[in-house]
Amino acid sequence: EMPNVILATASYDRTIKFWEAPSGICVRTLQFQDSQVNCMAISPHKTGLVAAGHHHIRMFDLQTNSQSPLWSIEAHQQNITSIGFQKDGKWIYSGSEDNWIKIWDVRSQTCKRKYDCKASVNALALHCNQGELISGDQNGLIRLWDLKADACLQYMAPRVDSSVRSITINTAGDMACVANNHGDVFCLDINDERSDKSSKDSPSAVALGNTNSKSTPAEGGDQRLKIVHSFRAHNKYILKVLF
C-alpha cells in the first residue's frame, strides 16, 4: 500500500517514481514504455496519476502497487506537452506538438472535444469555472476556448516574434499570467464583463522590446482577456510561471 503522503517524479529515463519526501525513500517505480515522460498530473481525489509522453497518455492507480496502467491511449501524433484534470476528475485535457488540444472522458477514454491551434501547443491552463481553457502556442498566440460552446472565444499575440512557454491562472480566476521564450511575462485580466464594452475602455499593453500587442475576438467572440501589464522577468527563456 502506498504511503498517505507521496512525491512523484518523472524523467527522460522513462520512469515514474514515488517517494517518501521526508526520508527520500523510493517506494514505487513505474516504467513508462515507448518514450520519456513529458508531463503528469495527480487526480483531484489523489487516487490516480495520469502521465503523458510521445503519443501516449497513461493512467496509473495510486492505491495499489500495480506496475501496469489502468489504461493507455494513443492520444496525439507528437509529443504531449500539457495535461491536467477537471476538478471532479471526470475528464482530462491534453495539448501537443501536433497542434491539437483534446478533452478526454476518463471513464471511457474517448475524445469528447478537440481544437486545432495551427501550431504546436506549448501550454494549457484550465479556468476555475471548469468551462474555459487558455492555450499558448509556438507562434506566440494565446487562445481562450469555451468548452461548453465548443469554440474559440478570443485570440491574441502579446509578442509576435515569440513562443508562449507557460500559462497560469490564479485561484480567483480573474487573472492569468503568460511567459514566453524571451523572458517576458504578460499579466492578463480575465474579465467577467462581456463584449458590450467598447474597445476604447480596454487597457493597453505595456510596450516591451519588439512587442506588438494585438487582441482580436474570434468570430465576434468576447473580450474576456485583456493585457494589463507586462515586464521582463528574465534575460532568457522562461520555463514555468505559477501563481
Side-chain angles (χ1 to χ4, degrees):
E1 185 177 343
M2 294 283 287
N4 290 329
V5 180
I6 58 170
L7 175 71
T9 62
S11 171
Y12 263 69
D13 66 7
R14 302 186 178 188
T15 66
I16 300 167
K17 294 186 178 183
F18 300 97
W19 307 83
E20 290 181 353
S23 65
I25 296 173
C26 181
V27 296
R28 185 182 178 191
T29 300
L30 300 173
Q31 300 297 321
F32 193 89
Q33 298 177 356
D34 306 326
S35 78
Q36 76 284 351
V37 181
N38 293 328
C39 49
M40 61 181 180
I42 294 176
S43 67
H45 302 299
K46 310 298 183 185
T47 57
L49 179 142
V50 67
H54 186 65
H55 293 207
H56 289 91
I57 296 174
R58 295 186 173 103
M59 174 74 82
F60 295 93
D61 189 352
L62 295 182
Q63 298 179 300
T64 70
N65 287 316
S66 173
Q67 297 298 304
S68 299
L70 293 172
W71 50 259
S72 177
I73 52 175
E74 187 170 347
H76 291 274
Q77 297 303 306
Q78 295 187 41
N79 276 310
I80 300 164
T81 57
S82 301
I83 199 160
F85 279 94
Q86 176 258 1
K87 68 175 182 178
D88 296 322
K90 294 180 179 179
W91 50 266
I92 59 175
Y93 58 89
S94 62
S96 170
E97 291 176 353
D98 66 6
N99 302 351
W100 287 92
I101 298 167
K102 295 184 179 182
I103 308 297
W104 302 90
D105 182 85
V106 170
R107 180 173 293 181
S108 64
Q109 299 99 59
T110 54
C111 181
K112 297 299 186 181
R113 297 276 194 281
K114 60 180 181 178
Y115 307 109
D116 187 2
C117 289
K118 310 296 184 183
S120 173
V121 180
N122 294 335
L124 286 175
L126 179 65
H127 193 275
C128 59
N129 65 19
Q130 307 297 295
E132 292 173 315
L133 271 173
I134 301 177
S135 67
D137 66 36
Q138 188 66 21
N139 289 343
L141 279 174
I142 302 164
R143 288 181 172 88
L144 177 64
W145 302 92
D146 186 322
L147 304 183
K148 184 176 181 180
D150 201 19
C152 178
L153 292 182
Q154 184 183 356
Y155 58 90
M156 63 168 64
R159 178 167 176 166
V160 295
D161 63 336
S162 68
S163 64
V164 175
R165 302 311 308 175
S166 183
I167 299 173
T168 185
I169 302 174
N170 68 355
T171 54
D174 58 6
M175 178 169 281
C177 284
V178 176
N180 67 20
N181 62 323
H182 291 290
D184 307 330
V185 173
F186 295 86
C187 300
L188 288 74
D189 177 56
I190 304 176
N191 191 1
D192 279 337
E193 299 291 334
R194 295 301 182 176
S195 55
D196 54 343
K197 287 191 174 182
S198 63
S199 59
K200 65 183 177 62
D201 294 328
S202 301
S204 60
V206 177
L208 183 64
N210 295 324
T211 298
N212 180 6
S213 180
K214 56 183 179 180
S215 178
T216 308
E219 299 298 327
D222 300 311
Q223 290 287 325
R224 283 269 281 155
L225 304 178
K226 298 179 182 180
I227 299 173
V228 294
H229 185 52
S230 60
F231 57 92
R232 175 63 55 81
H234 297 274
N235 293 323
K236 296 183 178 180
Y237 196 110
I238 295 179
L239 292 172
K240 197 73 175 177
V241 61
L242 284 174
F243 274 110

